[in-house]
Amino acid sequence: MSIIDTLTIAFRNLWRRKLRAVLTVLGMAIGTAAIVVMMSLGIGINEYFRESIERTGSMTTITVTNYRTNYSSDGMAEVYVSGLGGNDEIVLDNKAVESIEKIGGVVAVMPLMEYWGQAVNGQYYAHLNIMGVDIDKAELFEFSLAEGRMPSKHAGSAYEIVFGSWTLREFTHKRTYRQAVDAMGNPKLTLDSRFQLTFDYSNILSYDDMGMGQDGATVSKGKLYKLRPVGVMSEESNNYAWYSLMDIEAVKKLAKENKAYNELDTSRYSQIWVKCADTGQVLDIQNQIMALGYGATSAQDTLNMVTEQFASLQLLLGAIGSVSLLIAAIGIMNTMMMSIYERTKEIGIIKVLGCRMGNIAGQFLTEAAYIGLFGGSVGLAVSYGLSALLNMFVFAGDDMGIGSVMRSVIPMYLSAGAVGFSIVVALLSGMYPALRAMRLSALTAIRNE
Amino acid sequence: MEQNNDILMDIRDVKKTYHVGDVNIYALCGVTFRLVAGEVCCIIGRSGSGKSTLLNMLAGLENPTSGQIIIAHRHLERMTQSELILFRQKNVGFIFQSFNLMPYYTALENVALPLVFRGAPRARRNKIARDMLDAVGLSSHLQHKPMQMSGGQQQRVAIARALVSDPGIIFADEPTGNLDSKTSDEVMHLITHIARERRKTLVMVTHDPNMRQFTDKAITLLDGKIIDIHINENAIGKEFDGKQASALH
């Protein structure tokens, strides 16, 4: 028996009892829709978290730190290894950068150096958390700026800087402590204002101002550098919004010159950022970095944690959907059994006419598969409709630019999986009826009732 | 006349016992006969004589309690279900009392059905089926459904269906049982004529002793035993012997 004949005959057999077939397909459609919509909610929650994590840092970036968290073998207790002193002190230096660069799949390695200083504008000053970045590589790591551009490589006497999101608002009068903002709360200073950079507090506040008497300190005053802001960090979903960015070479130079006021070991980095070629490699590369003895975190960590936490929720949602699919499967079985009782004589006849056992089972299984296919497809269409309605009317509203937490998302794999799964379920429930049909005696054809 | 190598069916001491509760019912009590290829034979008996049981066993639908059924040198009683289906597919056509056509298929589709199970492509099986319906005089009823045809016409469709796969043996179970006497005669003429024309072995079960006039051999059963084997040299239609085509209508 050819496949086309099997398909045609099975379809005609279903079509002969249209109402029953339609009702069974409807049951299957409801079951599929229930499972797809439930799972789409779970996927929606996951996607929300992935998006919000992606906003705070690229999914392909690993942050290498000089501390790490070790998990004991039972995965419960945590052992914290710090980078400050001790035998197993973790040192992030040029050697570390080199060894990380050797790992396959690593696109770029950028060391970062943190430093602290003061920006001065006349009577106003503000504290700066300076992050020294490698200007050549910074573009790869996608720093988001609210305005302006990244600093260029340090040259000449002026130092270019990107202010942190709130830096301009933080300028405070050194005596009155008034912030340099107008009545509306907008900063009076702009990027075009004239700024200076210093690491010596005495350049800003006299000892009187600091409430200390002049006790004959002999330390010479620190230098005032020309500071030229070229941009402002973006405030939104940015883990580094409070940092001001400078060229790392400029930071090293400044740190060396101002050792007396603010000591920093310029051979050591505070962090190293690693860019991976694609998301799939991140965990692998992260493990390799940790195997080298460094601490490493990535957005994948967070995402995995969140995904793990929501896995049980998804399971629950899926289980609720499965109940209706189970009922639909029982419906299919019932329909097929009914149809076998009705067709007992017919099955006997085709057996006498030379229909093989396998063909008989094949025909009934094909009928079941049709119910699964049609039910799955209709159910999927219903799911898309329901999903659109839910997103439009129920989950809309508390949208804060990043979308609501609850939403329904039906990815391609869920669509294909749903139809495939409903066919499999239908085939499974058609199995027993098909076996029954196959075993029916050909003698029934001869009997005249 | 009976040369050993011509023997198509060799039935040796076949017995069949049914157990109904504690009672044993002896449907067949040792039946032995032989048929040569191309022979037209009827098994006559009243209801309860065991004739249908015998036919079922010849067609491999039931197993004998004891005895041997050798058809075309093969022991039917030793075959499995699947082997029997294959055997029927290759060698056997079946005509039923109640026609047993598929009610929702047209005459053409009904006749082509056995070829569907043999995996014949649509164009080829439709051509064979059309020729077959032509041979039973129904070329104008190809697209009729069984409900739109008379009993005689339905049985003719069934005859075409039995012959469509060109089997060596045709079994007929009371083929005229649901027909009036005039139509019965027509159908009997047709069946025996086609069987002779195409050199098929025909085994027909009937309760009507008059049917022996159409057949070469008539085996009479009573209470599970053969009581008479009647050889008829002058069977109706035998003079055609396949040489004259379609002289019946």
Side-chain angles (χ1 to χ4, degrees):
Chain A
M1 215 173 158
S2 74
I3 292 171
I4 291 177
D5 285 329
T6 306
L7 291 176
T8 318
I9 289 177
F11 186 79
R12 284 177 73 168
N13 281 339
L14 272 185
W15 195 241
R16 249 156 59 197
R17 285 170 298 266
K18 292 177 201 63
L19 182 63
R20 194 200 293 167
V22 166
L23 288 177
T24 316
V25 164
L26 192 67
M28 202 62 195
I30 292 170
T32 309
I35 238 177
V36 169
V37 170
M38 286 297 175
M39 289 188 76
S40 80
L41 295 180
I43 292 170
I45 291 173
N46 254 344
E47 198 161 277
Y48 165 81
F49 280 108
R50 206 194 63 234
E51 272 172 28
S52 46
I53 288 165
E54 263 172 10
R55 264 165 224 270
T56 57
S58 163
M59 292 301 286
T60 51
T61 304
I62 298 169
T63 306
V64 182
T65 53
N66 58 1
Y67 56 86
R68 65 170 182 260
T69 309
N70 290 349
Y71 293 89
S72 62
S73 53
D74 60 354
M76 295 297 287
E78 295 174 9
V79 184
Y80 195 79
V81 179
S82 167
L84 305 171
N87 284 336
D88 37 329
E89 182 181 8
I90 302 167
V91 179
L92 299 179
D93 51 11
N94 282 328
K95 242 170 69 189
V97 172
E98 278 165 29
S99 55
I100 292 169
E101 271 170 345
K102 283 179 196 147
I103 297 172
V106 170
V107 174
V109 178
M110 180 176 74
L112 293 102
M113 191 171 283
E114 279 175 66
Y115 200 43
W116 303 269
Q118 277 75 39
V120 185
N121 172 275
Q123 296 297 302
Y124 293 99
Y125 76 100
H127 182 77
L128 294 179
N129 290 311
I130 300 168
M131 180 71 90
V133 298
D134 187 331
I135 299 302
D136 290 333
K137 294 174 180 165
E139 200 177 318
L140 277 172
F141 291 89
E142 293 153 19
F143 286 97
S144 48
L145 301 185
E147 56 177 301
R149 57 167 175 86
M150 289 295 285
S152 37
K153 283 199 154 187
H154 175 63
S157 58
Y159 287 85
E160 289 192 355
I161 191 167
V162 167
F163 277 154
S165 323
W166 303 285
T167 306
L168 282 174
R169 232 166 290 171
E170 281 166 355
F171 277 90
T172 316
H173 196 277
K174 63 182 180 185
R175 283 208 184 77
T176 63
Y177 304 113
R178 263 207 223 134
Q179 277 179 276
V181 292
D182 63 16
M184 304 294 293
N186 294 318
K188 287 178 188 164
L189 299 173
T190 68
L191 291 183
D192 297 326
S193 310
R194 287 165 56 88
F195 294 100
Q196 280 175 306
L197 175 65
T198 186
F199 300 89
D200 182 2
Y201 257 101
S202 63
N203 276 328
I204 304 163
L205 307 171
S206 67
Y207 292 106
D208 281 345
D209 293 331
M210 289 191 282
M212 290 187 270
Q214 207 151 5
D215 50 2
T218 53
V219 183
S220 61
K221 279 199 166 190
K223 218 175 145 187
L224 277 162
Y225 302 93
K226 213 170 170 189
L227 189 65
R228 185 185 300 140
V230 293
V232 175
M233 292 284 272
S234 166
E235 184 175 343
E236 200 178 276
S237 310
N238 185 349
N239 279 348
Y240 298 90
W242 57 82
Y243 282 104
S244 298
L245 302 183
M246 284 181 86
D247 178 14
I248 193 164
E249 295 308 322
V251 172
K252 282 182 185 170
K253 184 165 174 271
L254 290 171
K256 277 175 194 156
E257 288 177 15
N258 293 281
K259 230 176 186 154
Y261 318 100
N262 189 350
E263 194 172 346
L264 182 74
D265 182 351
T266 53
S267 71
R268 296 186 177 196
Y269 303 111
S270 44
Q271 290 179 17
I272 298 174
W273 286 8
V274 178
K275 188 85 182 168
C276 307
D278 68 63
T279 353
Q281 294 173 301
V282 173
L283 276 179
D284 183 41
I285 293 172
Q286 188 181 341
N287 286 333
Q288 291 188 53
I289 292 171
M290 295 206 289
L292 290 173
Y294 306 107
T297 56
S298 69
Q300 294 267 342
D301 283 347
T302 326
L303 185 61
N304 286 351
M305 218 169 66
V306 171
T307 312
E308 232 166 70
Q309 278 172 351
F310 278 91
S312 52
L313 176 68
Q314 270 182 308
L315 207 66
L316 183 70
L317 290 173
I320 294 170
S322 307
V323 172
S324 35
L325 195 69
L326 182 71
I327 295 169
I330 295 170
I332 290 180
M333 204 152 170
N334 190 28
T335 302
M336 303 293 296
M337 290 307 288
M338 291 270 287
S339 133
I340 280 161
Y341 287 128
E342 275 172 20
R343 281 148 69 182
T344 300
K345 181 153 184 152
E346 179 191 321
I347 294 163
I349 295 168
I350 61 174
K351 260 189 163 175
V352 173
L353 294 183
C355 187
R356 297 194 197 172
M357 312 268 265
N359 285 339
I360 293 173
Q363 261 187 52
F364 279 91
L365 283 178
T366 310
E367 278 177 47
Y370 270 129
I371 294 174
L373 174 67
F374 296 143
S377 310
V378 171
L380 192 61
V382 170
S383 313
Y384 272 109
L386 271 178
S387 167
L389 285 176
L390 281 176
N391 287 338
M392 216 182 295
F393 296 111
V394 183
F395 299 146
D398 58 332
D399 191 324
M400 288 161 60
I402 45 173
S404 154
V405 180
M406 286 295 278
R407 66 178 128 165
S408 166
V409 177
I410 305 175
M412 267 315 290
Y413 71 82
L414 183 60
S415 306
V419 177
F421 187 59
S422 65
I423 292 176
V424 169
V425 167
L427 279 175
L428 283 177
S429 25
M431 208 89 102
Y432 176 69
L435 211 67
R436 281 284 291 265
M438 201 170 85
R439 286 183 183 158
L440 274 179
S441 164
L443 261 184
T444 47
I446 318 292
R447 276 192 203 119
N448 298 299
E449 58 268 353
Chain B
M1 165 176 170
E2 285 191 12
Q3 285 154 353
N4 216 28
N5 53 355
D6 268 349
I7 298 213
L8 180 73
M9 294 191 198
D10 193 352
I11 314 304
R12 297 176 186 167
D13 196 26
V14 165
K15 291 180 182 163
K16 180 74 181 177
T17 313
Y18 295 106
H19 305 279
V20 181
D22 293 334
V23 188
N24 284 347
I25 295 170
Y26 301 98
L28 290 175
C29 320
V31 169
T32 303
F33 66 93
R34 288 173 169 183
L35 288 182
V36 293
E39 205 165 5
V40 174
C41 163
C42 69
I43 298 166
I44 300 170
R46 288 190 299 215
S47 92
S49 62
K51 60 184 192 301
S52 291
T53 308
L54 181 58
L55 188 79
N56 290 343
M57 289 191 296
L58 295 182
L61 300 174
E62 267 185 279
N63 270 328
T65 309
S66 70
Q68 291 173 311
I69 299 168
I70 305 153
I71 296 179
H73 310 295
R74 299 187 63 188
H75 282 265
L76 255 58
E77 78 276 6
R78 294 181 196 162
M79 288 192 202
T80 65
Q81 270 277 341
S82 306
E83 284 171 338
L84 283 169
I85 284 179
L86 269 177
F87 177 81
R88 281 200 292 272
Q89 216 180 54
K90 274 188 202 136
N91 304 301
V92 175
F94 221 104
I95 300 166
F96 307 89
Q97 177 180 1
S98 49
F99 323 134
N100 280 346
L101 300 175
M102 300 287 162
Y104 22 81
Y105 288 174
T106 63
L108 186 72
E109 286 168 337
N110 264 294
V111 174
L113 199 58
L115 297 176
V116 172
F117 301 138
R118 286 157 182 79
R122 174 180 282 271
R124 198 170 76 87
R125 66 181 189 238
N126 279 353
K127 190 192 170 301
I128 299 171
R130 213 175 281 126
D131 291 347
M132 222 44 244
L133 279 164
D134 200 27
V136 297
L138 281 176
S139 48
S140 56
H141 288 68
L142 298 183
Q143 299 306 325
H144 284 57
K145 301 230 167 133
M147 292 295 282
Q148 302 163 310
M149 291 188 279
S150 71
Q153 287 171 328
Q154 288 187 50
Q155 195 58 300
R156 280 194 273 166
V157 173
I159 293 167
R161 183 178 66 181
L163 285 157
V164 77
S165 57
D166 199 27
I169 307 162
I170 295 162
F171 291 114
D173 183 18
E174 299 267 16
T176 59
N178 282 5
L179 303 173
D180 60 60
S181 58
K182 187 174 166 289
T183 321
S184 277
D185 280 358
E186 278 175 23
V187 165
M188 281 307 297
H189 273 113
L190 181 68
I191 293 180
T192 52
H193 170 69
I194 282 190
R196 290 203 168 97
E197 185 187 55
R198 294 171 189 247
R199 303 193 182 286
K200 309 292 185 202
T201 307
L202 175 68
V203 178
M204 183 174 66
V205 158
T206 179
H207 66 276
D208 183 357
N210 294 327
M211 293 302 169
R212 71 176 61 163
Q213 57 181 317
F214 292 97
T215 60
D216 309 329
K217 186 184 269 181
I219 297 167
T220 309
L221 279 182
L222 185 66
D223 298 331
K225 288 183 191 118
I226 294 178
I227 54 164
D228 179 46
I229 297 185
H230 172 79
I231 310 289
N232 183 7
E233 298 289 348
N234 303 307
I236 294 176
K238 200 178 183 185
E239 65 271 19
F240 295 119
D241 204 17
K243 281 166 193 133
Q244 264 173 281
S246 201
L248 291 161
H249 304 285

